[in-house]
Every structure is written in structure tokens, then in C-alpha cells.
Amino acid sequence: VDYHVFDVEKIYLYDVDSRRRSWVNWYGSLADSDNILFNAKELEQEETHPTANYVEEYSFVRKRTQLEINPETKEETVVGSVYGQTTVKRTNEKQNPTIEVKRIITKREYNAACKTRDQSRHVVKQKRISFLWNMQSFTVHMYEEPVKDLCILHAQVEVPDDEDKGGSGDVGVGKRCGLMNSVDLPPFLEIERPLNDTKKDKSQYGAFNISLKRT
């Protein structure tokens, strides 16, 4: 099976509330008029449309570095890095409980965002292995920091219309176990159990909760 290996670094940002104060802080530090205008519009929209239904909101930036591994020496060579920013909103709505907004950012934006990182949280580091199996996309997430004994498999598959009108989904933390019936798991992987959309599993296996520093 052909596969790709990545180093992933995920940094949660400080004080991302419904008005995105920290977004403005780190975008504004770039002196980028387009970004500042964009966020001013976002703030206006927030004032016009109250976010009372949002029960939780957070944002993080991610650096994903592709690695090339020598099969004989096992030496790793960096191919290149890409950067992204994700904002997650959890709502009380049953049909759409989680809203994610993702966008590609530059290295400069990433470095600026890191200056506003949430100091109450660890930087999450993972090694990821991505591959295709029977027309399905799999990614193995192996945690390296702040925990090292956790490995989670994410599967992206086509979902029957009667199960999910969205047409596709990721099987992992926050997804229904029923989707596991749609996954043809590779025989060379040993899976302990599917993750449930429960508070217990999210707390134990979700990166957002894993990142929290324990006092």
C-alpha cells in the first residue's frame, strides 16, 4: 500500500469568542488591509446575527509537514509544509451540531497566530500516515505530544443517502458509530473499537481536550 507521512503541529489560539477578538489581534499585527477589512465584516455580522446558539467555540492553526522516508535507512527528509486555520463552533442544533470553517494561510500568518496561542493548552503534535484502501481514504493519527500512547484511525468514505444526506463523512471522534458499517477496514490494521459521539470519548480522544494542561 502506498502511503504518505506527515508531521502535524496544532496550536490552539487564545480567547476566540463569538466576536473573534484574537483573529483581529493577530491579523491586525500583519498590517494587512484586506484581512482587517474581512474581520471587520465578520464582527458586523456577529452583531447582526447573535450567536446565542453557540455553546462552544475555538480556533487553531495547523502546520502539516510532508516527509519522505528512506526505506533502507529510515531517514526522514522534509518535502514541504502547508498551513491552515480552523474555527470550530458547537451549537445546540440537532441537524448541524458542529460547524467548521477552514482556510489555507501563509507561513507568515501562521507565525503571527502562534503569538496569540492559548498558554493553558499544550501544542499538539502528531505523526500522520495517509493511504487509500478499496477506494477509501484512511489517516492514522499517532500522538507524540502531549500524549504518546494514543493512535486514532480516521476514515473518509461515501455514506449512503439514507444514513447521511451529506454524502460522505469522517469516521472518528464526533461521528456516529453507525457509519462504521460503511467502512471496509484494511485487514492489516487492528482496531480496538469505534469512537462514539459522547462526552466521555470526546474528552479522552479529542485533540481539543487532550491539549488542555492539567493542574
Side-chain angles (χ1 to χ4, degrees):
V1 177
D2 292 332
Y3 62 91
H4 300 282
V5 181
F6 304 89
D7 274 339
V8 174
E9 183 178 84
K10 185 181 291 187
I11 297 177
Y12 290 88
L13 303 184
Y14 177 72
D15 193 24
V16 177
D17 62 10
S18 62
R19 296 194 56 175
R20 300 176 174 87
R21 283 195 295 268
S22 65
W23 287 21
V24 175
N25 287 342
W26 68 266
Y27 274 134
S29 66
L30 300 178
D32 187 327
S33 59
D34 290 338
N35 281 330
I36 294 174
L37 179 60
F38 170 81
N39 283 278
K41 291 181 178 179
E42 289 287 329
L43 291 176
E44 183 179 353
Q45 290 176 3
E46 292 292 345
E47 292 176 348
T48 306
H49 301 88
T51 57
N53 289 331
Y54 296 148
V55 295
E56 184 178 48
E57 178 180 358
Y58 59 89
S59 182
F60 63 86
V61 289
R62 185 189 69 178
K63 175 183 178 181
R64 188 180 69 176
T65 301
Q66 184 172 355
L67 304 175
E68 190 174 90
I69 301 178
N70 187 309
E72 296 181 358
T73 64
K74 304 302 180 181
E75 291 184 354
E76 298 180 351
T77 302
V78 174
V79 177
S81 299
V82 294
Y83 306 86
Q85 182 242 333
T86 301
T87 298
V88 180
K89 290 183 178 181
R90 302 193 189 282
T91 73
N92 292 318
E93 299 178 8
K94 294 183 178 180
Q95 293 185 344
N96 195 16
T98 302
I99 301 172
E100 289 191 1
V101 179
K102 299 182 179 182
R103 76 181 194 93
I104 298 172
I105 61 176
T106 65
K107 181 179 180 180
R108 183 165 169 251
E109 289 176 310
Y110 175 82
N111 291 333
C114 290
K115 295 178 181 179
T116 63
R117 59 165 290 213
D118 187 347
Q119 297 295 332
S120 68
R121 296 182 178 277
H122 295 284
V123 175
V124 176
K125 294 185 179 181
Q126 302 170 336
K127 183 82 72 179
R128 295 187 182 182
I129 302 175
S130 299
F131 61 93
L132 296 176
W133 174 263
N134 284 355
M135 303 300 291
Q136 302 166 113
S137 175
F138 293 92
T139 303
V140 180
H141 294 200
M142 297 179 291
Y143 280 81
E144 297 182 334
E145 293 183 18
V147 296
K148 296 183 178 181
D149 58 347
L150 181 60
C151 183
I152 296 177
L153 174 68
H154 287 251
Q156 188 172 29
V157 300
E158 290 296 322
V159 179
D161 291 338
D162 58 350
E163 290 189 40
D164 186 23
K165 293 183 179 180
S168 65
D170 290 325
V171 178
V173 173
K175 291 294 181 179
R176 302 186 306 275
C177 284
L179 291 181
M180 289 299 296
N181 297 328
S182 305
V183 181
D184 182 14
L185 292 173
F188 49 82
L189 292 180
E190 183 177 343
I191 309 299
E192 182 177 346
R193 69 172 180 86
L195 299 184
N196 300 317
D197 189 11
T198 63
K199 184 177 181 179
K200 180 179 178 180
D201 272 2
K202 289 179 181 179
S203 176
Q204 188 171 356
Y205 301 110
F208 180 63
N209 290 292
I210 288 174
S211 69
L212 189 64
K213 294 180 179 179
R214 312 297 175 180
T215 56

